[in-house]
Amino acid sequence: MIESNNSEINVDRLIKKIREEVASRQPISGRNLETIKVASVNQTLTINHIENLLHNAQLKSQIRTDFPKKLNRFPFSLSQPLQKLVLKLYSFLFKEQRAINFSLIEAIRESLTLNRKLIDQVMDLQGQVMDIQGQVLNLQGQVKEMSAHLTVTEKHFKEQLHAMDERSIKNDSYLKNDLTQQKRLITLFLEKAQQRFPEPFSPEQLQTLVNEYPHQLDAFYVAFEDKFRGSREEVRNTLNVYLPLIENAKLGTPESPILDVGCGRGEWLELLRESGYSARGIDSNNVMVNECHARCLEVSQGDAIAYLQNLPDHSLGAVTGFHLIEHLPFAVLMKLFDETMRVLQPGGLIIFETPNPRNLFVGSGDFYRDPTHVNPIHPDTIAYIAILKGFMNAESYFFAEQDNRSQLLASSNVKFDTLESYLSISRDFALIGYKP
Amino acid sequence: MRIAIATVQVPFIRGGAEMLAAGLVEAIRQAGHEADVISMPFHFYPVREVQRSMEIWNSENFAAINGYNIDLAICLKFPTFYLKHSDKVAWIIHQHRAVYDLWDTPFTQGLSDSDEGKQLRKEIIQRDTHAFQGFKKVFTIAKTVSHRLHSFNQIDSTALYNPPKLANYFYTATAEPYIFFPSRLETLKRQDLLIKAMTYVKSPTVALLVGEGGQRPHFLQMIEEFDLQQRVKLMGRISDEDMLAFYAHCLGVFFGVHNEDYGYVTLEAMLAAKPVITCTDSGGSLEFVINHQTGLVVEPEPEAIAQAIDQLYFNQKTAAQMGRAGLERYQSLNISWENVVQKLLY
């Protein structure tokens, strides 16, 4: 079907499409139905011709009553009585022949009638064959229509199933996650209790249990994130804007892997993997980590700072963190910068994305929707910290929509001189910097 | 009946005339008669070779050959018209065009200027006229041929159309945005008109050209020059099945050839229920295409052709209606081998 809004047509795809359709059709040589034909018109003509011949023959075979006209002329006209005698003699001699002739003509006539009937029957059959041919074509059409209909239905069904899948994953996962979490804690508690029974818990055991306590909220936070951070697809789309940075810095090779701190549901890691980069993640949330594992992403569970501290110097190409730093107390934030600086290779990249308090909606309220947020971070502040900690070209970037695609916009280029500018500035910003 | 079909051939070239002769033999046999093609090579030059050929045919007696009586002789091409037989029927594919409609044109310069050429022309016209007077019936393959016969030889004739080779297999399908043009890639077929037109087309329609021929390198160069690689494709030779499918799916068929006698492409487009864009000087196609009813007849100018293409694209309902009207017109013309045999034999 031609869509008039489709301004570019791919010729090769068009040709391929039609060729594919040809492949699904029966080849011409296989269609024999059409060759059944009877040249009926010509046979009627032939029969007329035969009838004429018979008519002639019949006329000729009747009793002769006179001689050919030319014998009436002189000198033959003198012998009229003789002629009559000859005729009588002739009639007598060929009497039997005449009888035979008549019978033969009759026989041929009858066979001709028979022939005609046969032709009628053949025509009748031809008509039937054509009817059947028509029906077959009709059926073929119907079958084609039905299979097209089936394909459409199947597609719809698949789409619905997919949508239902997504919904049920969302609805069920919170309950399931929370339940697993509770079960883990209870099991841990019972195991420890059993080990010490009948004694009370030792201080070490109590510590283990206390350490587990914060994970009580893991399932809640996953559900919260699903509700407010946006769907996987939306998040992935916004993350596309960072891919050119990775490409330009030539990072993400196995020698210069990317570490995503607080990787959450792993959208960024997934995007990196699809683009062929080497990357791994760390998150403290058990449920998030399990989800990442389900997607076969390389993610560890644990404390980000402790993890970084255990890494050797110059071992990473980039450290990234999306909506992480606003969850950290200030002292921990400083430590994050220190450790990052140490583990990055020269030329290594940092990207830290966080809510933008310069946006009036975010700064005045939306930031506080997340109960685990600690402090809003001003773009100037974080850039200044990065520079102090020794990062090169460190600057905060807002996002600007251009041609439906998100682009980075250096914060130093943005003036906040009207109320409108506070309303329209992006709701998030990112700190980007490089290790010298 | 035993029927001889007389023709001449340029060895190793198979075109419309050869297909027509083959189709006729087959149809006559289907009707329950004996038929054979009797052919001889033909030399277009020099003049004395043409004259020699005329003499040979003039001296052939087809009444009986080696004891086989021939009931009817059907003559298709010059100079078979001169053969001797009491029952001769002509179904003229074309006369010796060099001395008729192509006389005094760039195609026949050497001939038109020479004395022996003028002598040959006189001789052929005279003998043709005489020969056709001795025919029982005179048919031509198209009105264009009949008109020429009338204006040069004052002989009346009837145009007797024959169906394209795959007539029984054509079908139609949803239109895709491309214009289809199957023909040999030759100057007279004017693929260059369509290629140039594509530079003026405003709609996203593309052009698919099928066929081989001497002009291929030239056309390829044109496509590159105009930067039309994504708008025009030379697809080369394709199978019958593909041919039917590309007819079935096209938006319309372009057939803007220069003064063609008959042109199966027009009929094939009608069989596939597709509108035909043709030109005011295209000849045979004008007998079939009714402007704005079964297609569009335009001046042989790229801009005009581009407009016609856009018209089809932006009025697809009308385009489809024109296609259907074309199919109805085809069916009303009684174009069938049965009809051809009926008219030639009885």
Side-chain angles (χ1 to χ4, degrees), chain B residues 241-316:
Chain B
E241 282 86 354
D242 280 358
M243 186 70 98
L244 295 170
F246 280 101
Y247 265 117
H249 281 281
C250 71
L251 175 62
V253 171
F254 175 74
F255 195 56
V257 293
H258 178 260
N259 200 12
E260 177 106 3
D261 291 332
Y262 186 43
Y264 287 119
V265 173
T266 320
L267 300 174
E268 289 168 345
M270 291 161 91
L271 281 166
K274 297 294 173 180
V276 182
I277 299 175
T278 188
C279 296
T280 48
D281 61 352
S282 287
S285 56
L286 299 170
E287 295 175 31
F288 301 103
V289 180
I290 307 173
N291 199 10
H292 296 298
Q293 282 182 38
T294 70
L296 299 168
V297 181
V298 298
E299 293 295 322
E301 300 295 338
E303 290 94 332
I305 293 162
Q307 255 178 30
I309 293 172
D310 282 341
Q311 200 177 331
L312 293 188
Y313 182 86
F314 292 115
N315 305 289
Q316 281 175 35

Side-chain angles (χ1 to χ4, degrees), chain A residues 135-188:
Chain A
Q135 283 170 14
V136 167
L137 282 176
N138 227 333
L139 277 174
Q140 276 175 350
Q142 280 176 16
V143 166
K144 217 179 239 173
E145 238 171 63
M146 266 168 61
S147 73
H149 187 69
L150 265 179
T151 324
V152 173
T153 318
E154 198 181 1
K155 206 174 133 220
H156 272 307
F157 189 62
K158 270 190 186 148
E159 275 166 8
Q160 270 181 10
L161 260 183
H162 188 71
M164 264 168 65
D165 261 5
E166 277 298 309
R167 258 208 312 279
S168 68
I169 283 174
K170 269 191 192 147
N171 292 344
D172 294 353
S173 64
Y174 171 65
L175 291 173
K176 214 187 285 166
N177 290 338
D178 205 37
L179 200 67
T180 324
Q181 203 60 18
Q182 302 296 347
K183 215 157 136 192
R184 224 165 58 83
L185 281 178
I186 290 169
T187 317
L188 193 70

